[in-house]
Amino acid sequence: MKSQNNSLQFSRRNFLRTTALAGGGMLIGFNLFTACKSEAKPPVDISKLNFNDFNAFIKISDEGYVTIFSPNPEIGQGVKTSMPMIIAEELDVPWDKVNVAQGKLDSKNYQRQVAGGSQSIRFGWDALRQTGATTRQMLVNAAAAKWGVDASTCSASQGVITNANGDKLGYGDVVKEAASLEVPENVKLKDPKEYKLIGQDVRNVDIDKIRTGKPLFGIDYKPEGMLFASVMRPPAFGKKLVSFDDSKAKAVNGVVDVIRFGEKIKVLENQINFTTVTDKIAVIATSTWAAMKGKKALIATWEDAEKLESTEDHDKELLKILDGKKFDIRREDGNVKKAFAQADKVIERTYSSPFLPHNCMEPMNFYADMTKEVAHLVGPIQTPAWSASMISRIFDKKPEQIHLEMTRMGGGFGRRLYGDFVLEAAEISDKIQKPVKVMYSREDDMAAGTYRPAIKYRIAASLKDGKITGYHLKEAAINSNMYGLIPNFFPAGCIPNYKVSTANYKSKMTTGAWRAPYTNFLAFAEQTFFRELADELGKDHPQLLIELLQNVKGTTDKRIEYSGQRMEDTIKLAVSKSNWGNAPKGRYQGFAAYYSHNTHVAEVAEIEMKDGVPVVKKVTAAVDCGIVVNPLGAKNQVEGGVIDGIGHAMYGDLSFKDGAPLATNFDRYRLIRMQETPEVDVHFVQNGESPTGLGEPGLPPAGGAIANAVKAATGTQMFEQPFINYFDKKKNAILG
């Protein structure tokens, strides 16, 4: 929807209540569909103002300061800054008078309290604007009543209301009167040309606390009387606990208890993979160090409950699937079989990706204090409502008995969508009847992960008379029934005979969403494949994509999720800004474009070859995410996504042997290093469209752009990630 539609009907149901505070001031509640979590320190001590503690409200003090409570989790994607900016823009209040606070889980007053899918700004855009604009109009109406003039003759700007005579009142001067007025049914939203705050660079509201080490994260939460728990889980997927000796663990100074747990979670069996781990041992202690030391002293006996899988097994099973015929058809246009039979040439390629862990900077942790009356939960979680509902079911508590507070997260990337660590903390606390925080070590984090599944894609295309006439994409993945490919993204609609098929291999390995689910590897496979098709047809890669996109413009196919025109504009911007086709001497360029999470992205990578290994020097990224609320935060998101995409495409690899990961810390798991991060040059398409997500879309094209640059440099096409495996093997072969 175009943002120029600046007059929207505002339902009273979007406002919860308007209340005059006892000491003065106004509370305006709103239904924030996808919120953020916020905190910006105004130049006054807000604790001395007339603010009371409420969730999900705008609060305005007599002094004109505004507090915005936002319920959604913050995982570093910047919504804690950008979402309050939207309200402040329409409210028309100076940013230095805004304080942002974190709301608790409140399923009655909020929808979609989730951090995932890069959807917060997209879903919250209209509701947030309406909230700010309605509040502003109520303040204007109150000032007009005070002056005895028509509200239409008054205007508000930067926290000050002015009438036709030039008289002025601050928001704080009329806040009490405004609290008693009716909520207007129809409010006028600003034209984007009038924006003063949106589109400006604004620092992360938490940055000062982050850089000075103030307690913001779950790992910082330490209420008085809290104990710590370190959990021993099965050493491999497919093993179960037989017995254990805890005598040495209990002898460790600080250890207060050792318990066996996991039975409660059986209530949720077969709902999600991690729930099958029902046999665990928790060492409870007065400190993290004592708990982890006690766990190391545990002596446990495990036995094989079922076949222990290895990476070689996965590879064989996925290839069997690709070579077989049992697939689910996700989309089929035309007649692919006929197109292939009539083709001048058919090109077919197979692409492989490994499991990947999430490796959040802050390992998993959560606090729980389970009593008969209430379950008090605190910590970093992307899905607070889901976690609370699971606690409610497992422990037979009413929803109102679950009090969940969200902290800032030191990374999520999809791992914190799965609240297994929340359930662990709750069950341990319930068993010992004391408040406890479960703490993962790095090894726990990697060995008990919910991984990105290993996947193989097979793509085939038919060429006839210089055109692509048929396209068949097949996916074989580990546990892919929930995380398979997207059939209605590019090139759906661009090729007349088009088919997408999926199949999966059920595994005991716990798999789930990983940053840019579905597309984080698929973009590499598809875009390197289209580079090969472009070479075969004697065409420039970006130009081939633009030609194909003409077929989807003006389509009436409602299944198509991307925009042909917006993708074309994004491609052209990347080509222009990267000086495509004119790389500096000694450098080689590669191109990739992809649509994901409602955002169109095109990237050009420049590499140099050093000692036979590609070195990424620069990536130019063009992004169409609609209106950019906070350019500074948006640029940071794209840069981070690109670097993350480069790092995992080049180096990320988690292999398994007999059900256990071969790497459980960074000594064996390769991440991108500081000196390997390239310059990232980010450009945004300016089109006035409503904003879309940015936390994930920058990642998928990065791997394809690098692989295509490698092809330009060496003539070798990459078919497997991580790329470094190919170059290491080549170097070892040369060295003998």
Side-chain angles (χ1 to χ4, degrees):
M1 183 187 71
K2 287 275 187 181
S3 299
Q4 282 82 344
N5 179 9
N6 62 358
S7 181
L8 293 176
Q9 190 72 22
F10 191 81
S11 169
R12 288 177 183 270
R13 289 175 302 194
N14 285 347
F15 272 73
L16 302 178
R17 66 175 180 267
T18 305
T19 309
L21 296 177
M26 177 174 67
L27 280 173
I28 298 180
F30 58 93
N31 190 338
L32 186 56
F33 293 135
T34 49
C36 56
K37 145 191 179 203
S38 325
E39 186 173 36
K41 187 177 180 180
V44 295
D45 184 357
I46 63 168
S47 65
K48 295 180 180 178
L49 301 182
N50 293 316
F51 287 146
N52 294 322
D53 237 359
F54 290 87
N55 289 337
F57 296 101
I58 294 176
K59 297 197 303 183
I60 303 177
S61 73
D62 287 348
E63 295 81 2
Y65 285 90
V66 179
T67 294
I68 303 172
F69 286 84
S70 299
N72 269 37
E74 168 66 59
I75 53 175
Q77 79 278 44
V79 293
K80 191 171 183 178
T81 304
S82 57
M83 298 191 82
M85 285 176 65
I86 299 169
I87 294 175
E89 176 65 72
E90 291 290 352
L91 181 59
D92 215 323
V93 64
W95 184 246
D96 61 7
K97 285 199 170 186
V98 174
N99 175 60
V100 192
Q102 171 68 64
K104 299 177 183 179
L105 175 65
D106 185 353
S107 297
K108 290 183 179 179
N109 295 324
Y110 301 102
Q111 298 179 35
R112 201 184 180 275
Q113 281 186 276
V114 174
S118 300
Q119 297 297 301
S120 292
I121 292 291
R122 177 174 174 252
F123 276 93
W125 175 245
D126 288 332
L128 293 167
R129 287 190 300 156
Q130 290 168 338
T131 296
T134 301
T135 306
R136 169 170 44 87
Q137 189 60 53
M138 292 176 71
L139 293 163
V140 168
N141 291 348
K146 204 168 189 176
W147 285 319
V149 301
D150 193 301
S152 64
T153 65
C154 304
S155 61
S157 178
Q158 295 297 284
V160 177
I161 304 156
T162 307
N163 65 21
N165 296 324
D167 300 322
K168 298 180 184 297
L169 286 171
Y171 285 178
D173 298 327
V174 296
V175 68
K176 292 177 184 177
E177 292 83 351
S180 63
L181 298 180
E182 285 288 317
V183 177
E185 286 290 341
N186 193 45
V187 294
K188 183 179 180 181
L189 302 180
K190 287 184 177 181
D191 187 287
K193 295 176 183 177
E194 302 174 297
Y195 288 162
K196 302 166 187 172
L197 183 59
I198 290 176
Q200 302 301 310
D201 288 342
V202 173
R203 293 170 70 233
N204 185 313
V205 293
D206 278 341
I207 193 63
D208 290 334
K209 289 187 176 181
I210 291 171
R211 66 184 181 84
T212 56
K214 296 294 191 300
L216 284 170
F217 300 89
I219 208 165
D220 300 324
Y221 188 76
K222 297 175 183 176
E224 189 174 348
M226 180 188 80
L227 295 171
F228 297 82
S230 184
V231 177
M232 177 178 280
R233 302 170 186 85
F237 292 95
K239 285 187 177 290
K240 69 177 182 179
L241 182 63
V242 176
S243 62
F244 68 96
D245 179 355
D246 60 9
S247 56
K248 290 184 179 179
K250 287 182 174 179
V252 173
N253 185 33
V255 171
V256 298
D257 205 354
V258 178
I259 64 169
R260 187 171 182 169
F261 75 106
E263 285 295 311
K264 288 275 190 180
I265 210 168
K266 284 186 176 179
V267 173
L268 308 177
E269 274 192 312
N270 301 320
Q271 289 195 17
I272 208 161
N273 273 356
F274 70 72
T275 61
T276 59
V277 182
T278 57
D279 231 349
K280 310 175 190 180
I281 309 165
V283 177
I284 297 103
T286 55
S287 69
T288 303
W289 175 249
M292 291 183 175
K293 190 175 180 182
K295 186 177 77 170
K296 286 186 177 179
L298 271 176
I299 300 173
T301 302
W302 305 85
E303 69 178 12
D304 296 349
E306 50 196 299
K307 182 180 182 294
L308 303 181
E309 302 167 14
S310 299
T311 295
E312 292 77 8
D313 300 322
H314 298 144
D315 285 341
K316 290 176 183 176
E317 293 297 334
L318 294 180
L319 283 173
K320 279 184 187 177
I321 290 172
L322 286 179
D323 292 333
K325 296 181 179 180
K326 293 183 179 180
F327 280 86
D328 294 323
I329 298 175
R330 303 299 181 185
R331 175 169 174 147
E332 186 170 17
D333 302 339
N335 189 327
V336 170
K337 186 176 181 180
K338 183 178 179 181
F340 282 16
Q342 296 177 347
D344 296 329
K345 187 172 186 178
V346 174
I347 297 175
E348 182 178 273
R349 299 288 183 261
T350 301
Y351 304 86
S352 301
S353 70
F355 283 94
L356 289 181
H358 293 81
N359 285 327
C360 306
M361 182 68 75
E362 177 191 22
M364 301 303 108
N365 65 88
F366 221 83
Y367 167 88
D369 185 8
M370 302 291 289
T371 66
K372 290 182 180 179
E373 295 77 26
V374 69
H376 183 208
L377 308 165
V378 184
I381 182 68
Q382 292 179 245
T383 50
W386 181 90
S387 298
S389 70
M390 294 301 103
I391 297 295
S392 178
R393 288 182 57 189
I394 292 171
F395 297 96
D396 194 26
K397 289 188 180 296
K398 297 177 181 178
E400 57 267 26
Q401 291 180 284
I402 313 294
H403 295 176
L404 193 151
E405 300 174 38
M406 291 164 281
T407 62
R408 190 179 181 100
M409 286 174 257
F413 313 115
R415 175 61 181 95
R416 285 187 161 100
L417 291 169
Y418 309 98
D420 46 321
F421 45 93
V422 182
L423 306 186
E424 287 180 342
E427 186 171 355
I428 294 168
S429 175
D430 184 66
K431 269 185 172 285
I432 66 175
Q433 281 298 291
K434 293 177 182 177
V436 67
K437 183 197 285 187
V438 164
M439 294 285 295
Y440 281 45
S441 65
R442 177 59 60 192
E443 289 79 6
D444 293 333
D445 211 46
M446 290 185 70
T450 298
Y451 310 104
R452 183 189 84 169
I455 295 178
K456 289 187 186 296
Y457 291 120
R458 181 165 290 165
I459 310 178
S462 57
L463 306 179
K464 178 72 173 177
D465 298 329
K467 293 183 178 181
I468 304 170
T469 57
Y471 188 90
H472 189 187
L473 170 60
K474 294 199 292 186
E475 175 196 78
I478 305 294
N479 304 327
S480 70
N481 56 321
M482 293 193 345
Y483 307 104
L485 49 80
I486 304 289
N488 298 313
F489 287 5
F490 177 86
C494 292
I495 300 170
N497 303 291
Y498 173 78
K499 188 175 181 179
V500 176
S501 310
T502 62
N504 72 90
Y505 170 70
K506 283 291 184 182
S507 167
K508 291 300 292 182
M509 309 301 180
T510 55
T511 60
W514 189 93
R515 189 175 189 177
Y518 320 110
T519 62
N520 50 59
F521 178 66
L522 178 57
F524 153 75
E526 287 193 338
Q527 284 299 295
T528 54
F529 187 73
F530 273 100
R531 161 64 195 264
E532 281 204 77
L533 294 181
D535 289 347
E536 186 69 31
L537 295 171
K539 295 185 177 182
D540 177 61
H541 183 186
Q543 189 56 43
L544 173 62
L545 300 186
I546 289 172
E547 288 177 11
L548 289 170
L549 289 168
Q550 306 313 304
N551 298 325
V552 81
K553 287 183 182 178
T555 182
T556 57
D557 186 346
K558 294 182 179 179
R559 296 172 298 171
I560 302 296
E561 297 185 37
Y562 64 98
S563 163
Q565 185 60 59
R566 294 178 73 171
M567 180 60 86
E568 179 179 335
D569 293 344
T570 307
I571 290 171
K572 288 180 176 178
L573 181 62
V575 166
S576 170
K577 295 298 183 180
S578 67
N579 199 22
W580 171 253
N582 296 287
K585 187 177 181 180
R587 289 194 182 184
Y588 303 89
Q589 292 180 321
F591 176 87
Y594 209 76
Y595 166 89
S596 65
H597 302 282
N598 311 102
T599 295
H600 303 76
V601 181
E603 294 174 10
V604 174
E606 287 185 11
I607 70 165
E608 294 177 358
M609 298 300 295
K610 186 174 182 180
D611 298 327
V613 176
V615 177
V616 186
K617 305 300 291 185
K618 182 180 180 180
V619 175
T620 302
V623 181
D624 179 358
C625 61
I627 291 173
V628 180
V629 176
N630 181 6
L632 178 62
K635 182 181 178 183
N636 288 341
Q637 284 299 298
V638 177
E639 289 176 346
V642 169
I643 292 169
D644 199 10
I646 293 169
H648 284 91
M650 284 288 294
Y651 310 112
D653 189 2
L654 188 67
S655 297
F656 287 83
K657 181 68 175 176
D658 295 330
L662 295 180
T664 56
N665 212 318
F666 297 138
D667 59 334
R668 298 191 69 184
Y669 184 79
R670 180 80 155 85
L671 288 168
I672 192 169
R673 295 164 183 159
M674 288 291 288
Q675 68 269 25
E676 293 164 340
T677 59
E679 173 191 354
V680 182
D681 185 23
V682 181
H683 302 272
F684 295 99
V685 175
Q686 305 296 323
N687 56 18
E689 297 281 354
S690 294
T692 54
L694 271 180
E696 294 161 290
L699 184 149
I706 296 164
N708 287 332
V710 170
K711 175 73 180 298
T714 66
T716 299
Q717 181 66 55
M718 297 289 103
F719 296 107
E720 297 183 4
Q721 290 186 2
F723 304 150
I724 198 66
N725 285 354
Y726 168 81
F727 293 100
D728 285 346
K729 289 176 184 176
K730 185 177 180 182
K731 189 178 292 185
N732 291 337
I734 292 172
L735 294 174

